């Protein structure tokens, strides 16, 4: 008998039929004697619908009320799921984040889980119930509903698995695992059987939305065995695991892209100590996470500062930059939303030379101009014009042999 956490994403619970099918799948495991915790997302499209509704009320929705609204989507699916289970003659109970006591900090719309109380889940397990928990939501210490950021149900699932010391956390989705690149834009993408936590962290942070990045951090920290697989088939998916020797033989494991960033340039900034701090402190204070930063040197005492921010924070960042540019006597500033970041990721990069140069050559051969570059030990990212994203992803995927059966 095992304790299993299963998470089903929005497309897996998109309508009553799908919810019934998911319930059947879970009940099968429960009948085998396993203790089941099910984490559900809202029905596909619902969270987006709420975002749209909120914006019809307020240009920048009040974060607390925004969370109050967004959290409702998951309440619908967990209740329907519990009904489906009861209809089939088994027992289930649906629980919201605040009922379980998934305690978060108070950063509305992007809250972090601080603590999970497992007592209630254990009590219902002892009563033989399938426990169904709303993904993506929590509650602050003073009882305000929070959400964890888009895609956050993965994090709920892994955090619950860690807290409950579950035997496995299974993330069920609309693809049958983690692929060498997004299978929806590259037909030649191959399913990866095993991937390291570190590679998965990079892939997730660089745009592979198949797993929410914070779920991978939790899995790595608490060594939660993570299995990403398809809701619609029984095939084995991708295991996210600790690194082993064999994994380093391939220089590149995956290619990702992210179209949700924008670029901001502040031109002719005085090249003096403290300038970067003056620019980036107010941006950080506003909770905006800056990604790639480039500082160009000009002749003389002026420099250009270019950086990227999430597209959703662009307007706010531009407002801050307008003020900062004036304060530091910069000549001008500009922004560009039509960019994308394309990245290659692989732990094997550590022992293979020339990977970055291959990437630059491949992009050059396709006539794609590189606007910014950033690297880490196991990734290289290039910011390019958005219209070339798909071309860049496919060319890099081919160039690094990811369409071949190697893993
Ligand atoms: P869910 O609603 O189940 O959480 P998501 O839409 O969040 O599902 O994540 C699954 C999607 O992630 C897939 O449909 C696919 O388009 C996308 N994706 C992006 N990169 C990858 C990748 N490398 N491997 C698998 N899927 C990927
Ligand atoms: N429903 C939320 C979203 O669409 C959370 C999730 O699906 O993981 O972002
Ligand atoms: Mg998701």
């Amino acid at each position: 008998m095992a304790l299993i956490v299963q998470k089903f994403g929005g497309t897996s619970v998109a309508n009553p039929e799908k919810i019934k099918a998911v319930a059947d799948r879970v009940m099968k495991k429960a009948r085998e004697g396993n203790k089941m915790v099910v984490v559900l997302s809202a029905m596909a499209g619902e969270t987006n619908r709420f975002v749209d509704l909120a914006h019809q009320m307020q240009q920048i929705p009040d974060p607390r009320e925004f969370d109050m609204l967004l959290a409702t989507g998951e309440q619908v699916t967990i209740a329907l799921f519990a009904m489906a289970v009861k209809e089939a003659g088994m027992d289930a109970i649906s629980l919201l984040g605040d009922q379980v006591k998934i305690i978060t900090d108070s950063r509305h719309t992007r809250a972090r889980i601080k603590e999970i109380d497992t007592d209630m889940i254990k009590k219902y397990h002892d009563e033989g119930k399938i426990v169904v928990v709303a993904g993506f939501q929590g509650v602050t210490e003073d009882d305000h509903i929070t959400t964890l950021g888009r895609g956050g149900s993965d994090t709920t699932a892994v955090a619950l698995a860690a807290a409950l010391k579950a035997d496995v956390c299974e993330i069920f989705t609309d693809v049958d695992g983690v692929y060498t690149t997004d299978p929806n834009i590259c037909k030649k993408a191959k399913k990866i059987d095993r991937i390291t936590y570190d590679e998965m962290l990079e892939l997730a942070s660089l745009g592979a939305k198949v797993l929410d990045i914070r779920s991978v951090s939790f899995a790595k920290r608490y060594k939660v065995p993570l299995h990403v697989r398809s809701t619609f088939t029984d095939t084995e998916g991708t295991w996210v695991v600790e690194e082993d020797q064999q994994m380093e033989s391939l220089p590149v494991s995956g290619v990702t892209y992210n179209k949700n960033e924008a670029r901001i340039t502040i031109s002719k900034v005085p090249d003096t100590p403290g300038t970067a701090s003056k620019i980036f402190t107010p941006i950080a204070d506003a909770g905006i996470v800056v990604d790639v930063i480039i500082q160009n040197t000009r002749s003389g005492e002026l420099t250009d500062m270019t950086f990227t921010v999430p597209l959703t924070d662009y307007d706010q960042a531009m407002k801050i930059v307008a003020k900062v540019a004036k304060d530091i006597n910069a000549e001008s500033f500009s922004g560009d939303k039509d960019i994308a970041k394309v990245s290659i990721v692989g732990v094997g990069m550590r022992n293979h030379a020339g990977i970055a140069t291959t990437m630059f050559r491949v992009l050059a051969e396709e006539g794609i101009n590189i606007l910014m570059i950033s690297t880490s030990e196991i990734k290289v990212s290039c910011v390019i014009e958005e219209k070339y994203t798909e071309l860049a992803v496919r060319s890099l995927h081919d160039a690094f042999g990811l369409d071949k059966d190697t893993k």
Side-chain angles (χ1 to χ4, degrees), residues 7-12 41 151 154 171-175 177-184 203 207-211 255-257:
K7 178 258 169 179
F8 295 87
T11 40
S12 309
S41 291
D154 297 337
I171 305 288
F172 287 88
T173 185
D174 57 358
V175 284
V178 179
Y179 276 70
T180 47
T181 192
D182 186 346
N184 287 328
L203 287 180
K209 69 164 185 163
V210 62
L211 278 179
V255 181
T256 57
Y257 64 95

Side-chain angles (χ1 to χ4, degrees), residues 41-42 47 74 136 150-153:
S41 291
T47 312
E74 275 68 14
F136 171 61
R150 298 304 303 273
S153 297

Side-chain angles (χ1 to χ4, degrees), residues 177-231:
V178 179
Y179 276 70
T180 47
T181 192
D182 186 346
N184 287 328
I185 73 156
C186 180
K187 293 271 166 302
K188 293 189 203 162
K190 284 256 173 339
K191 189 177 79 189
I192 302 171
D193 295 332
R194 291 162 73 245
I195 187 163
T196 70
Y197 290 119
D198 286 331
E199 284 172 316
M200 195 61 234
L201 275 175
E202 290 282 10
L203 287 180
S205 82
L206 296 169
K209 69 164 185 163
V210 62
L211 278 179
D212 181 25
I213 179 156
R214 285 152 316 155
S215 71
V216 189
S217 313
F218 264 106
K220 180 179 173 185
R221 191 166 350 134
Y222 298 103
K223 297 198 166 51
V224 177
L226 199 56
H227 188 192
V228 183
R229 53 190 308 194
S230 165
T231 305

Side-chain angles (χ1 to χ4, degrees), residues 124 203 268 290 307 340 389:
Y124 287 123
L203 287 180
K268 297 199 183 165
V290 170
F307 55 95
T389 312

